[in-house]
Amino acid sequence: MPSTLPLGDPAPSDGLLPAQAADGAAGRAFGLYVHIPFCAVRCGYCDFNTYTATELGGGASQDAYANTAASEVAMAARVLSASGLPQRKLGTVFFGGGTPTLLPATDLALILRRAIDQWGIEDGAEVTTEANPDSVTPESLAILKEAGFTRVSFGMQSAVPHVLKVLDRTHTPSRVPQVVQWAREAGLAVSLDLIYGTPGESIADWRHSLETALSYEPDHISAYALIIEDGTKLAAQIRRGEVPEIDDDDHADKYELADELITAAGLSWYEVSNWARTPGQACRHNLAYWRGDDWWGIGPGAHSHVGGVRWWNVKHPTAYAGRLAQGLSPAAGRETLDPETRNVERVMLEARLQSGLAVSALGADGRHEVAGLIADGLVEPAAAFRGRLVLTLKGRLLADAVVRRVLPD
């Protein structure tokens, strides 16, 4: 959840959505994102909307946060109903941050219970929380499972101590296999998040992190290239010459190594940065983002999308809690996407999925470009002939460049 909010139109204080949001809603999946904005330590690379203070005042404190978030859940249900959207059960719920598991597991369970009370939940729904390896116990994981959580995503990032130090991660590598075992004993599916391209990380370091993560036999792995965001501690360190710049060629080599090793271990790639052991263990919540389904984002700075209407909440937890206490929508701004913008976003997101993008979604110029992409080896010819644009490994590394070629100027 990036800390900088986009520009947009003013959002109404009652939160009501325009009529277009309800069009076709019955045919779209509905999910919930819950942002927990607290961290024990702010990592040097992080640009997310997070806070390390335990007491921010009023309903923004960690102790009060669960009830504050639950009040937005109730408001969301009222707004969707008043805006003419049909009642839909939750298909996915995702707790992100920050570090959601800094809150007591009973608080996360309370928020989830309030959401299920409002909307209900589909049979077999996916309910995920992110967690740092040093923020869970066997007892807390058991509470989450009992409450209805099905999946935990651990921020492993690296198995190499000097890499973790550059990233300001607080856990030790030996903690990861322990928490993976606890999660499995609780009956939770396990995903591990890795980051590659950290300044000072060698290819051998990255191979060690991959092999170590795979030795724990996770159900899912995400591997993300490190991006240096302006205003972060790491950006300042690079600017001062204290750590080396990141290198795009190094990122490409490490991506290829990740795909090679993760695939050999029996997980299949389904999105640029994500691999799952079976199709059913792909992150369905993130797939809903990439496919343009509906979700409501709970929490300060959280983003929502319903039927081509996108909005974002005020950034600071105190302002967020204050607006809800006054019975006002916490939305800071919003935008209503026109058909052209929605199609551009569809191309950008679906072309990154293993399932691909229907070539019919492209304009005439874009369809013409597909032949050139095949000639350049960036698109699988058989996939294109089946009417879908599917990027090859090389194409996945160059996905943004490929997408630019098939989109109109």
Side-chain angles (χ1 to χ4, degrees):
M1 191 59 55
S3 62
T4 302
L5 297 179
L7 299 175
D9 299 324
S13 60
D14 59 10
L16 290 178
L17 303 177
Q20 82 161 62
D23 293 343
R28 296 192 299 269
F30 177 56
L32 191 72
Y33 171 77
V34 182
H35 186 63
I36 309 297
F38 305 110
C39 282
V41 175
R42 188 171 183 84
C43 298
Y45 64 91
C46 181
D47 185 44
F48 285 4
N49 188 37
T50 62
Y51 302 83
T52 57
T54 58
E55 180 59 64
L56 293 169
S61 70
Q62 288 188 26
D63 288 344
Y65 187 76
N67 283 318
T68 302
S71 69
E72 189 185 357
V73 168
M75 188 209 74
R78 292 194 301 270
V79 167
L80 291 174
S81 177
S83 299
L85 279 96
Q87 179 76 11
R88 291 173 291 172
K89 291 183 178 181
L90 294 166
T92 63
V93 184
F94 195 102
F95 285 68
T99 308
T101 44
L102 272 187
L103 294 187
T106 50
D107 282 4
L108 302 184
L110 181 150
I111 299 169
L112 177 60
R113 185 170 64 252
R114 296 288 179 83
I116 294 172
D117 288 345
Q118 291 291 345
W119 290 293
I121 193 164
E122 295 178 358
D123 292 340
E126 175 192 274
V127 182
T128 303
T129 186
E130 294 180 334
N132 283 351
D134 53 3
S135 67
V136 298
T137 65
E139 294 76 19
S140 69
L141 291 167
I143 290 170
L144 293 176
K145 174 62 177 178
E146 178 66 22
F149 285 79
T150 64
R151 187 173 179 274
V152 60
S153 180
F154 289 116
M156 176 179 171
Q157 315 311 8
S158 175
V160 180
H162 78 83
V163 174
L164 291 172
K165 183 177 181 180
V166 172
L167 294 173
D168 289 326
R169 300 296 290 180
T170 57
H171 70 273
T172 60
S174 62
R175 178 76 170 181
V176 179
Q178 186 177 45
V179 299
V180 169
Q181 180 181 348
W182 292 345
R184 292 208 181 284
E185 290 171 349
L188 295 164
V190 174
S191 178
L192 296 177
D193 284 0
L194 299 173
I195 290 177
Y196 59 88
T198 299
E201 178 192 59
S202 67
I203 282 286
D205 290 334
W206 177 232
R207 177 182 288 273
H208 175 68
S209 291
L210 287 165
E211 290 175 343
T212 301
L214 290 166
S215 74
Y216 306 145
E217 299 184 345
D219 305 298
H220 184 281
I221 284 184
S222 298
Y224 300 107
L226 179 66
I227 297 174
I228 306 300
E229 302 287 357
D230 291 340
T232 61
K233 175 185 173 183
L234 192 53
Q237 289 175 314
I238 291 174
R239 189 172 61 250
R240 292 193 298 263
E242 296 171 3
V243 296
E245 294 267 6
I246 60 172
D247 179 80
D248 289 343
D249 290 336
D250 175 68
H251 278 186
D253 291 341
K254 288 174 178 173
Y255 181 91
E256 290 184 314
L257 180 62
D259 190 69
E260 174 189 341
L261 296 183
I262 297 172
T263 300
L267 286 82
S268 298
W269 168 81
Y270 69 94
E271 191 274 340
V272 169
S273 300
N274 291 274
W275 293 257
R277 194 163 296 280
T278 68
Q281 289 166 319
C283 181
R284 302 203 312 263
H285 187 83
N286 285 342
L287 283 169
Y289 291 158
W290 298 320
R291 291 171 176 163
D293 285 327
D294 291 351
W295 71 90
W296 191 293
I298 300 291
H303 289 229
S304 303
H305 172 267
V306 175
V309 182
R310 182 184 293 130
W311 68 96
W312 43 92
N313 286 346
V314 292
K315 174 181 171 180
H316 198 277
T318 301
Y320 168 77
R323 289 184 66 85
L324 286 167
Q326 297 175 62
L328 303 175
S329 165
R334 77 181 188 193
E335 57 183 343
T336 301
L337 307 179
D338 59 37
E340 181 180 351
T341 302
R342 295 183 74 177
N343 194 59
V344 166
E345 293 191 358
R346 178 186 175 190
V347 171
M348 292 175 64
L349 295 172
E350 290 189 22
R352 303 172 75 88
L353 297 173
Q354 186 276 336
S355 55
L357 168 79
V359 175
S360 59
L362 303 174
D365 290 343
R367 292 194 295 272
H368 176 76
E369 280 289 343
V370 170
L373 292 170
I374 293 172
D376 293 343
L378 297 177
V379 170
E380 298 173 2
F385 294 151
R386 289 196 303 269
R388 300 195 71 80
L389 178 65
V390 180
L391 305 181
T392 63
L393 174 62
K394 183 179 179 183
R396 299 205 299 271
L397 293 171
L398 301 173
D400 291 337
V402 171
V403 166
R404 283 196 296 270
R405 281 179 59 172
V406 299
L407 286 173
D409 293 336

